[in-house]
Amino acid sequence: MDVKQIIDYLAAYDGRPLKIMEVCGTHTAAIFKNGIRSLISDKIKLISGPGCPVCVTPTAYIDRCIEYASRENHTLLTFGDMMKVPGSSGSLSEAKGNGSVNVDIMYSPFEALEKAAGDPGRTYVVAAVGFETTVPTYAMMVQEAARRGIRNVKLVTALKTVMVALEWICENQEDVDGFICPGHVSVITGSDVYKPLAERYHRPFVVTGFEAEHILASIYRIVRQIETGGAAVENLYRNAVKDEGNRKAVAIMEEAFETGPAMWRGLGIIEKSGLYLREELAGYDGGSRDLYQDMELPSQCRCGDVIVGRINPDECPMFGRGCDPVKPFGPCMVSSEGACGIWYRNVH
């Protein structure tokens, strides 16, 4: 079918109401950019998932980063989207503004190695946040540090695996009918990793790219599977995603990291969803485990429901009223990849 036929089919859909989750924040942004909701039937509801690692980073992690950045002869290196995430007593941006911390924006984790090698009297602490997409880079960086004997580098990790979160959603959210799988993550994991979830929970999982026609095709394939009683994994992004994934990247990741429980801001602790440096690399760990404390969100903040697709962001009572991208309160408003931030820029 061509794109016009797919649009006509989805616009005319008149079956039972469906909820399809796009897990990745980049897909959420592309859906708004291309007006996809306006092209499909009102009976097909697109909901956002936990596709933004910054948004699910807990309070205790931010507090640990600020504590390191406050130490003498220490510098915290972070990507820019972490600066506004609120900790228990403010964000990194606020702490930097009042001159109480040493924080530098990095564009690659490997910057830490060159900085540390050139300034052995200072410890460079890397705020390592991300999903499977970025974990191999952090693994290679710390392995290179060990190879070169650079000891004044630390990682404070908030690295998580989307796959475990998807299993948690399948187990706890029975009304999600199908999943548009995260494209960037799938480049690393491959598409076959979704097969056990599709079989166990009898829901379709479709891997796709980020252009409008890619997303429309994935919605069409999910709807067709549901209509015919199917629950399979389909890979519509074969130019980037192999069924078996990037085995070399996965091997590098597994060499450096092991799984453990992790706090997801707004959701709570999910077992085996966190990634932590293995014992042989423990000297580079800046205290990443057991960061379970999270700010108790007020009852009117519905970020926990947004992250698992129970509500749309604009259904939260705080959306645009005490919580916006300039001064975010809830985690989903913090990052450009967060569902609330995307919705605010497009519907507010």
Side-chain angles (χ1 to χ4, degrees), residues 22 25-37 48 313-314 319-320 325 333 335-348:
E22 81 275 356
T26 308
H27 279 140
T28 302
I31 286 167
F32 272 110
K33 175 184 175 183
N34 295 287
I36 287 177
R37 283 184 176 82
S48 301
D314 61 348
F319 181 81
M333 190 67 82
S335 170
S336 61
E337 293 293 304
C340 291
I342 293 170
W343 277 69
Y344 186 91
R345 291 190 296 275
N346 285 276
V347 305
H348 189 265

Side-chain angles (χ1 to χ4, degrees), residues 43-120:
K43 288 194 170 184
I44 304 172
K45 184 176 182 180
L46 302 180
I47 58 176
S48 301
C52 170
V54 170
C55 300
V56 294
T57 301
T59 304
Y61 180 84
I62 304 302
D63 292 346
R64 177 64 52 84
C65 288
I66 291 174
E67 191 272 326
Y68 261 120
S70 303
R71 293 185 186 181
E72 186 178 359
N73 295 322
H74 282 67
T75 295
L76 182 81
L77 301 177
T78 180
F79 288 112
D81 56 359
M82 283 294 297
M83 294 295 290
K84 293 194 298 181
V85 183
S88 61
S89 59
S91 66
L92 283 164
S93 180
E94 291 168 332
K96 185 175 177 65
N98 64 34
S100 61
V101 297
N102 291 309
V103 179
D104 288 344
I105 302 297
M106 66 179 178
Y107 298 94
S108 165
F110 283 91
E111 292 176 28
L113 299 186
E114 303 315 312
K115 289 177 181 289
D119 189 1

Side-chain angles (χ1 to χ4, degrees), residues 210-232:
F210 301 96
E211 300 299 324
E213 58 267 31
H214 299 158
I215 297 171
L216 286 164
S218 68
I219 297 169
Y220 169 76
R221 289 306 310 154
I222 291 171
V223 172
R224 288 297 296 140
Q225 281 202 50
I226 293 170
E227 288 184 318
T228 58

Side-chain angles (χ1 to χ4, degrees), residues 120-142:
R122 177 170 289 272
T123 297
Y124 289 86
V125 183
V126 177
V129 177
F131 291 143
E132 289 95 333
T133 313
T134 55
V135 174
T137 301
Y138 289 113
M140 288 188 290
M141 186 273 279
V142 75

Side-chain angles (χ1 to χ4, degrees), residues 4-14 38-44:
K4 184 180 184 307
Q5 290 174 309
I6 288 175
I7 293 173
D8 289 344
Y9 185 93
L10 294 176
Y13 174 79
D14 195 33
S38 67
L39 302 177
I40 63 179
S41 167
D42 289 342
K43 288 194 170 184
I44 304 172

Side-chain angles (χ1 to χ4, degrees), residues 74-292:
H74 282 67
T75 295
L76 182 81
L77 301 177
T78 180
F79 288 112
D81 56 359
M82 283 294 297
M83 294 295 290
K84 293 194 298 181
V85 183
S88 61
S89 59
S91 66
L92 283 164
S93 180
E94 291 168 332
K96 185 175 177 65
N98 64 34
S100 61
V101 297
N102 291 309
V103 179
D104 288 344
I105 302 297
M106 66 179 178
Y107 298 94
S108 165
F110 283 91
E111 292 176 28
L113 299 186
E114 303 315 312
K115 289 177 181 289
D119 189 1
R122 177 170 289 272
T123 297
Y124 289 86
V125 183
V126 177
V129 177
F131 291 143
E132 289 95 333
T133 313
T134 55
V135 174
T137 301
Y138 289 113
M140 288 188 290
M141 186 273 279
V142 75
Q143 289 170 336
E144 178 67 6
R147 188 188 69 81
R148 292 170 57 180
I150 299 173
R151 301 300 177 192
N152 56 323
V153 169
K154 298 284 186 184
L155 266 66
V156 180
T157 63
L159 300 171
K160 296 178 173 66
T161 169
V162 172
M163 292 307 305
V164 178
L166 281 178
E167 183 176 7
W168 188 93
I169 290 171
C170 288
E171 192 68 36
N172 292 278
Q173 288 294 110
E174 296 181 358
D175 61 343
V176 179
D177 297 290
F179 294 86
I180 301 173
C181 301
H184 297 134
V185 165
S186 299
V187 171
I188 303 298
T189 66
S191 58
D192 284 349
V193 296
Y194 302 105
K195 286 184 177 179
L197 296 180
E199 293 169 0
R200 187 182 314 144
Y201 298 101
H202 200 71
R203 300 177 198 180
F205 288 75
V206 177
V207 180
T208 194
F210 301 96
E211 300 299 324
E213 58 267 31
H214 299 158
I215 297 171
L216 286 164
S218 68
I219 297 169
Y220 169 76
R221 289 306 310 154
I222 291 171
V223 172
R224 288 297 296 140
Q225 281 202 50
I226 293 170
E227 288 184 318
T228 58
V233 175
E234 295 188 43
N235 183 1
L236 306 184
Y237 198 20
R238 291 193 174 275
N239 61 319
V241 176
K242 298 178 181 179
D243 292 345
E244 70 278 12
N246 186 330
R247 299 315 305 165
K248 184 176 180 179
V250 170
I252 291 170
M253 183 168 61
E254 291 176 346
E255 285 174 7
F257 293 98
E258 61 186 11
T259 62
M263 169 67 75
W264 292 61
R265 193 175 195 132
L267 291 182
I269 297 171
I270 301 179
E271 297 294 329
K272 298 181 181 179
S273 67
L275 295 170
Y276 304 97
L277 287 171
R278 292 187 177 275
E279 184 177 355
E280 54 268 31
L281 294 169
Y284 292 97
D285 180 36
S288 306
R289 299 176 187 262
D290 303 325
L291 298 179
Y292 298 148

